[in-house]
Amino acid sequence: MDSKDYKNVWVFIETAHGEVRNVGLELLNQGRVLADANYEKLIAIVIGKQLDAAAKTVTAYGADEVIVVEGEEYTDYNTDGYTNVMVRLVEKYKPSVILIGATNNGRDLGPRVSCRLATGLTADCTGLEINEETGDVAWTRPAFGGNLMATILCSASRPQIGTVRTGVFKKTQPDFSRTAAIIREEIRTPSEEIRTKIIGFIKAAGETAVNLEEAEIIVSGGRGLGKPENFACIKELAEVLEATVGASRAAVDAGWISPLHQVGQTGKTVGPKIYIACGISGAIQHLAGMSSSDIIVAINKDSDAPIFGVADYGIVGDLFEVVPVLIEEIRKI
Ligand code: FAD
């Protein structure tokens, strides 16, 4: 392998029923940084069916080129079809870096593609930059249960592939006047090679519907709530704000709320417009999952709580007094 044969940064764009998911747009933004620093062009890879709108979206979010592969067999994500397409494209175009969202689908796709290509994969990354000495991508990910952050280089093989958590990077402002070359590739996967069949979708309901990564507003509760019933006030504040409920690990470990709500190093990484932390001290592992939020509001009765170090707005007070007042005032708007 001669790494000089490999160039450009690819971002695998995940779509759901034709709509581009946020994580691909976030990765285009950081992909641009990598491409400009060391890897020439930024290229979006879109696989599916009826992808014209998706191609326009990724162009607006900064792709220099879009490679589009359409086919009936790619209507919904499936492991065999998408892996086949990715591997064939890589063999033809030789990208140096491939960024994939660490979603359920991305976590399925990334390892299979890297295995077929006999290259490395860094899974579940929370940071990406260029290693100044080697020019490789330096991938950062939590290791040993989140007790340390590992920085990994994939120097010996190409492409360098990684899955990256949602919410780690921000989307750029779209510019719908941008244009990009659209390259259409005809790659088919015979039906007998696709070993799974999707027979239908059941919309997630209740607890399983928690979508912290794409939430615009999150209201989170911590150990300061004292007992599980007190999550009711967090849920009520979330309801009036049309927000999603988050939690610290302390609240999750106490069994007050499902782990699906956990924000932090071993939970979800989030980047909402507004993050409201109630009764959360701001331990480093919690901050690792939410400090890239646009606006952070902290409610804590301890004025020395570390959460105030990252908060844009801090309320020093008892959450059981503050939260009901907030709910009442917001209801008036
Ligand atoms: P505490 O630290 O106990 O803070 C409670 C806060 O509530 C205090 O600041 C207190 O002043 C305030 N308070 C109490 N009563 C009130 C009241 N009535 N009104 C207002 N404020 C009040 N943590 C995570 O959150 N996410 C993770 O993903 C995560 N991963 C971890 C991974 C590892 C390997 C380790 C070792 C730890 C991890 N942790 C994680 C745990 C983390 O270190 C903290 O223990 C945890 O975040 C603390 O949660 P907390 O802020 O709710 O509780």
Side-chain angles (χ1 to χ4, degrees), residues 144-148 221-226 247-251 253 262-268 278-287 299-302 305-307 317-320:
F144 294 101
N147 283 305
L148 59 84
R223 196 176 352 234
L225 285 166
S248 72
R249 178 158 153 183
D253 285 352
Q262 187 182 318
V263 171
Q265 196 170 298
T266 41
K268 302 274 170 53
C278 309
I280 292 177
S281 60
I284 188 82
Q285 296 89 354
H286 189 80
L287 302 186
I299 305 168
N300 196 305
K301 65 182 184 186
D302 174 8
I307 191 78
D318 186 332
L319 75 92
F320 299 111

Side-chain angles (χ1 to χ4, degrees), residues 7 12 49 80 89 97 105 112 119 122 134 140-141 153 168 176 188 196-197 200 204 230 233 255 276 284 299 313 333:
K7 56 185 187 203
F12 169 74
K49 203 178 106 180
D80 296 314
L89 290 176
V97 181
N105 292 348
R112 282 164 200 270
T119 186
T122 312
T134 64
T140 302
R141 71 181 306 277
L153 304 182
V168 170
F176 283 92
R188 304 314 298 257
T196 48
K197 190 173 167 208
N230 289 341
C233 69
I276 306 178
I284 188 82
I299 305 168
Y313 299 94
I333 299 171

